[in-house]
Amino acid sequence: MFRSAQLQSAQLQSVQSRSASYIAPSRFGAGLLRQFGRFSQGLTLGVPQIDILEEFARGALHDIVGDAATVSGFLAALLGRDRRQAQILWVTAGAGLHAPALAQLGLDHRRLTVVTTPRAGDRCWAAEEGLDALGYGAVVAEIGDADFHVTQRLQDAAEKRGATAFLVRQNRQPSAAAARWSVQAAASDGFRPCWRLTLECRHGVETDRSWLVEWDQAGGSFRLVR
């Protein structure tokens, strides 16, 4: 199972006052993660037509719009391909993450720590602390109603620490994110998960580029269907 423990940091407020379950910092140390985060390349799918856009760059916040379960599968596969094997903080409102299912998509549970709290404000706080004070290499924040101020804080923290941040939501509110993606489940052959990826916005400019990709478990990469 992925880890779930009390967050240890002298600079943070009492965990009990926030009614949330937190994870211990990475065993590699925040400083080392920050150093790797600044100098390593962004996340890639293994699909040249998409990777050439460099839209999953480090040091940035990325909006991911879609159903939480669908997005979780896609992000598990994407983060599982991280060559530097960075530690991941996943902030969620419920208990929907399932370690064996994530492992089938290539994400090692030993890299994953989870924060579960129903309050959106606590999730915002945990995500920002994970990026800034604790130095996680990647943070996934399921915060459906995050306003522009929240996205700006997450973008600033990701940029400052050279980390990759994903904001998972179902709406399309104004955002300071570097890019906005729509991730939708698509029909598959029953063996390989398939997603419709649409790049809706990059650096504040609307776009409409779309790809159908499937997960090749044997090759540990995505494959372009069309």
Side-chain angles (χ1 to χ4, degrees):
M1 292 292 292
F2 34 71
R3 294 162 290 163
S4 181
Q6 294 294 316
L7 187 65
Q8 301 296 320
S9 175
Q11 292 77 28
L12 305 185
Q13 298 182 23
S14 168
V15 169
Q16 289 76 10
S17 69
R18 293 181 174 272
S19 303
S21 175
Y22 292 102
I23 307 279
S26 163
R27 58 190 170 89
F28 294 107
L32 187 58
L33 287 175
R34 291 169 187 162
Q35 181 180 357
F36 283 148
R38 291 176 188 272
F39 299 106
S40 55
Q41 68 175 24
L43 297 172
T44 63
L45 281 75
V47 178
Q49 295 92 327
I50 302 176
D51 293 338
I52 195 172
L53 300 175
E54 299 183 345
E55 289 306 322
F56 292 110
R58 304 199 192 282
L61 172 68
H62 308 277
D63 273 1
I64 310 292
V65 179
D67 173 74
T70 300
V71 172
S72 294
F74 169 72
L75 288 180
L78 178 64
L79 290 165
R81 286 180 43 79
D82 186 359
R83 294 179 180 178
R84 64 176 184 156
Q85 297 292 290
Q87 295 293 294
I88 303 160
L89 179 66
W90 201 304
V91 185
T92 179
L97 296 178
H98 186 52
L102 298 180
Q104 288 183 347
L105 290 164
L107 183 57
D108 186 346
H109 68 87
R110 291 170 295 184
R111 296 173 49 210
L112 182 64
T113 56
V114 179
V115 171
T116 302
T117 173
R119 295 179 55 185
D122 289 339
R123 295 199 298 277
C124 295
W125 174 83
E128 187 176 353
E129 290 297 322
L131 288 167
D132 195 351
L134 299 180
Y136 279 88
V139 171
V140 178
E142 298 178 7
I143 311 173
D145 56 353
D147 60 21
F148 185 85
H149 177 68
V150 169
T151 67
Q152 185 65 70
R153 292 179 65 89
L154 293 176
Q155 167 60 34
D156 289 346
E159 184 176 359
K160 178 181 178 182
R161 300 302 186 187
T164 310
F166 297 97
L167 180 62
V168 181
R169 55 166 123 201
Q170 294 182 331
N171 58 38
R172 291 168 172 79
Q173 292 177 263
S175 174
R180 183 176 67 231
W181 290 84
S182 169
V183 178
Q184 305 295 329
S188 70
D189 60 6
F191 299 98
R192 292 181 288 270
C194 192
W195 299 274
R196 169 65 65 181
L197 306 182
T198 303
L199 179 58
E200 298 184 343
C201 181
R202 57 183 305 191
H203 306 298
V205 179
E206 291 189 4
T207 181
D208 189 22
R209 305 188 66 175
S210 185
W211 302 266
L212 189 63
V213 300
E214 63 182 12
W215 175 246
D216 180 7
Q217 184 175 2
S221 65
F222 294 88
R223 186 172 67 178
L224 189 66
V225 178
R226 63 175 181 273

